[in-house]
Amino acid sequence: MDDIVKAALAKWPGVPHCYGWLGLDRRGRWYMRDDRTQAAGPFPASKGSLLTHDKLIAFIERNYLADEAGQWFFQNGPQRVYVELEATPWIARLMPDGQVCTHTGRPLSVSGVLQDEHGRVFLRTDAGVALLDGADMLAAVDRIESGAWPLDMVQAADLPGRFGYVQSPADRQSRQA
């Protein structure tokens, strides 16, 4: 977490959390979701505006964390902005040098692979589960077929409970209210 964010938290404790305003899609792209977008439907059916400002994206990714309930958020100064996840908290990408990293650039160690009923590939990693970016499927097949990545089948609906994350903190918040 950035030092400026830590200072803001100390200076302004108790700022209300924000729900529904930020989404992470299956390709690791961030979306800003205003009131109108949220009223049009849940993420990802109603995505909002794709964030393209490199410095803003880098700031979000440096301050991207999970709470004790498995809800992922961006700590924006004193305000916690919970993230709507299309798939998983991490989107994995295979780098040209063979390394695996998250959409935020965090290196990952892969211990296995899960394939769901839709054919999507998820990596079991030291950071939890990560959806593999679809652009990297061919390279992943080589690793699976060689036996480097053991493959198991999974139901998509079981992933959040099995790996301890919440796909829609906004939906969870509205059910608790």
Side-chain angles (χ1 to χ4, degrees):
M1 185 180 306
D2 288 359
D3 288 338
I4 192 168
V5 173
K6 291 176 187 174
L9 279 166
K11 187 173 182 177
W12 296 290
V15 172
H17 301 322
C18 179
Y19 294 88
W21 283 80
L22 187 63
L24 177 68
D25 78 359
R26 61 187 166 82
R27 300 293 306 271
R29 297 175 297 204
W30 298 99
Y31 287 84
M32 186 65 62
R33 305 181 69 243
D34 61 17
D35 285 329
R36 188 173 52 118
T37 300
Q38 291 179 54
F43 189 79
S46 181
K47 283 190 174 180
S49 301
L50 176 65
L51 297 181
T52 59
H53 192 280
D54 291 338
K55 288 185 180 182
L56 174 59
I57 292 168
F59 181 63
I60 290 170
E61 292 178 348
R62 284 193 313 272
N63 297 286
Y64 181 55
L65 305 161
D67 69 12
E68 60 283 344
Q71 299 176 112
W72 286 79
F73 63 91
F74 154 53
Q75 190 68 49
N76 184 24
Q79 187 169 52
R80 187 174 282 190
V81 180
Y82 281 98
V83 178
E84 299 293 296
L85 303 172
E86 182 172 353
T88 61
W90 301 112
I91 307 304
R93 297 185 176 134
L94 303 181
M95 302 292 106
D97 66 359
Q99 186 176 25
V100 181
C101 292
T102 68
H103 64 284
T104 67
R106 176 184 177 169
L108 295 172
S109 175
V110 178
S111 60
V113 178
L114 302 166
Q115 183 179 9
D116 73 5
E117 67 274 19
H118 307 292
R120 296 180 301 179
V121 172
F122 301 84
L123 305 181
R124 286 184 294 164
T125 77
D126 56 331
V129 67
L131 175 67
L132 181 66
D133 187 316
D136 294 325
M137 290 294 287
L138 289 177
V141 167
D142 289 341
R143 292 182 186 193
I144 293 166
E145 288 180 346
S146 75
W149 286 353
L151 176 66
D152 292 311
M153 300 305 290
V154 68
Q155 294 294 307
D158 295 340
L159 289 169
R162 183 171 171 183
F163 290 96
Y165 66 91
V166 175
Q167 278 186 278
S168 178
D171 183 50
R172 185 172 194 235
Q173 174 67 16
S174 67
R175 286 193 316 262
Q176 292 177 348

